[in-house]
Amino acid sequence: MPKSVSLNFVDVVELSPPAGVEPVHWRLLTTHEVGDAATAWQIVDWYSRRRTIEQLFRLMKTHGLRLEDSQLASADVLIKLAAIATKAAVVILQLVQARDGQGGEPAGNAFSPSEIAVLDSLDASYQGRTVLQSNPHPRQSLAWAAWTIARLGGWDGYPSSKPPGPITLRHGLEYFRAIVKGCALRDVCMP
């Protein structure tokens, strides 16, 4: 390790915050060169994404996939497990970010065509009896998939309810993956 590291300082101050809200004031230290305003804003943009990164790690650890509970002795195997857990956590995070329907991403960003077909079948059975309990998102959008996965995870589907969180979506995704495996086996002939 070097005895010292050169750092650059980026100071961000919100000049006109909304009424009653404390202004943002970030003091960021970075090892990146900051030669102009565009580079400084790039540093600010990276820092603003820290919440998403923290959510990803939360999903991989205690409040999600519990990666830290693995009892693997080999670093190589632990790295493979971490890669698998990261993929699963990213799908959950995609569902959390898409649940409000604002982005318009297709379900194909997180699910295969065969998984989307299963979601299509499930969506019909999880629609409620009223308009309030119906999936409000366009078919085969990621928000539509998030709504259905959340219902599988135990969310009631009412717009007035608290939005489904990462744990509800994780439970729904686990249940969904089991259903997908079952659907894949339905045409297997047993002697």
Side-chain angles (χ1 to χ4, degrees), residues 70-82:
S70 67
Q71 296 181 2
L72 301 173
S74 163
D76 289 339
V77 176
L78 185 58
I79 288 170
K80 289 176 185 173
L81 178 63

Side-chain angles (χ1 to χ4, degrees), residues 83-107:
I84 293 166
T86 301
K87 182 179 186 289
V90 165
V91 171
I92 295 167
L93 195 53
Q94 284 177 295
L95 293 171
V96 169
Q97 292 177 339
R99 70 185 174 201
D100 64 2
Q102 298 300 311
E105 300 90 355

Side-chain angles (χ1 to χ4, degrees), residues 95 99 119 122-137 143-159 161-165 167-173 175-176 179:
L95 293 171
R99 70 185 174 201
L119 277 167
L122 289 169
D123 184 61
S125 63
Y126 276 88
Q127 296 286 342
R129 292 189 182 111
T130 67
V131 173
L132 284 178
Q133 275 194 308
S134 296
N135 192 333
H137 305 290
W144 164 84
W147 188 93
T148 305
I149 297 290
R151 293 285 282 146
L152 290 169
W155 180 61
D156 66 11
Y158 283 110
S161 295
K162 184 178 173 186
I167 305 305
T168 299
L169 289 164
R170 178 182 65 95
H171 291 302
L173 192 59
Y175 187 29
F176 173 68
I179 293 169

Side-chain angles (χ1 to χ4, degrees), residues 29-155:
L29 296 174
T30 180
T31 57
H32 293 276
E33 289 296 323
V34 184
D36 56 23
T39 306
W41 282 114
Q42 178 64 66
I43 302 298
V44 171
D45 182 56
W46 289 336
Y47 182 73
S48 69
R49 297 172 193 268
R50 79 191 188 290
R51 179 165 158 64
T52 302
I53 294 165
E54 289 167 2
Q55 274 191 315
L56 177 69
F57 286 127
R58 179 177 172 247
L59 281 167
M60 290 175 62
K61 293 166 60 176
T62 307
H63 292 94
L65 302 170
R66 303 180 62 94
L67 186 61
E68 73 278 8
D69 287 351
S70 67
Q71 296 181 2
L72 301 173
S74 163
D76 289 339
V77 176
L78 185 58
I79 288 170
K80 289 176 185 173
L81 178 63
I84 293 166
T86 301
K87 182 179 186 289
V90 165
V91 171
I92 295 167
L93 195 53
Q94 284 177 295
L95 293 171
V96 169
Q97 292 177 339
R99 70 185 174 201
D100 64 2
Q102 298 300 311
E105 300 90 355
N109 284 1
F111 300 100
S112 70
S114 61
E115 290 172 325
I116 293 171
V118 173
L119 277 167
D120 220 5
S121 298
L122 289 169
D123 184 61
S125 63
Y126 276 88
Q127 296 286 342
R129 292 189 182 111
T130 67
V131 173
L132 284 178
Q133 275 194 308
S134 296
N135 192 333
H137 305 290
R139 276 187 67 248
Q140 299 191 2
S141 68
L142 196 54
W144 164 84
W147 188 93
T148 305
I149 297 290
R151 293 285 282 146
L152 290 169
W155 180 61

